[in-house]
Amino acid sequence: MFSLKTINTQVMVRKRNYPVTTWLDEKEMILLKDKVSKTYVCRSDYIRKCSLGKDITVVPGVRELIIEFKRIGSNLDKITHSINCGTLTVVGDNLKSIKEDLKTAWSKLAVVIKKI
């Protein structure tokens, strides 16, 4: 039997069909939330990896870098959209700001990579 999920009139077949429910007390829940918050994965992925004996590598600073790169990507998307609509002309200041943001993010990434 397949579990189906409808998204924008497209039918997706779930990759995982068997939900697992477990009960935790307050201390266990706090501990789980704390451990998950230190990773880049969601709670479901974290529990799955733990139960299957897979390694969960936590690299300090990765979460902040992901957020930083998403912010920069979002800004680039907005700028690109504005340019394509003709509401913005790219000038040196715009590009200089983007370049500085990227330079800062790449520097942070270099620091994180050295920790691995």
Side-chain angles (χ1 to χ4, degrees):
M1 175 188 235
F2 290 102
S3 176
L4 300 177
K5 188 174 186 179
T6 304
I7 299 177
N8 296 337
T9 67
Q10 294 178 338
V11 177
M12 279 182 52
V13 177
R14 272 191 182 273
K15 185 176 178 182
R16 295 176 177 90
N17 299 318
Y18 303 99
V20 176
T21 302
T22 188
W23 293 91
L24 304 175
D25 64 25
E26 187 175 356
K27 288 180 182 178
E28 292 169 333
M29 189 62 182
I30 291 169
L31 182 61
L32 177 63
K33 284 181 179 182
D34 182 55
K35 287 186 174 196
V36 171
S37 72
K38 293 176 182 174
T39 69
Y40 64 93
V41 297
C42 66
R43 186 184 323 173
S44 183
D45 288 343
Y46 182 87
I47 292 169
R48 187 178 306 107
K49 286 179 183 224
C50 286
S51 66
L52 297 175
K54 295 184 179 180
D55 291 333
I56 299 172
T57 305
V58 177
V59 180
V62 168
R63 181 174 291 263
E64 293 80 16
L65 277 174
I66 290 170
I67 292 168
E68 187 76 16
F69 278 108
K70 284 182 179 181
R71 184 186 64 76
I72 292 169
S74 177
N75 289 342
L76 286 172
D77 284 344
K78 290 175 187 174
I79 290 169
T80 303
H81 182 33
S82 296
I83 290 169
N84 289 336
C85 290
T87 58
L88 176 70
T89 303
V90 177
V91 292
D93 291 342
N94 297 50
L95 295 176
K96 186 176 180 180
S97 173
I98 294 168
K99 185 177 178 180
E100 290 300 317
D101 286 347
L102 284 170
K103 185 177 178 180
T104 301
W106 282 112
S107 297
K108 290 178 184 176
L109 180 60
V111 170
V112 169
I113 288 173
K114 287 180 185 177
K115 292 179 184 179
I116 298 176

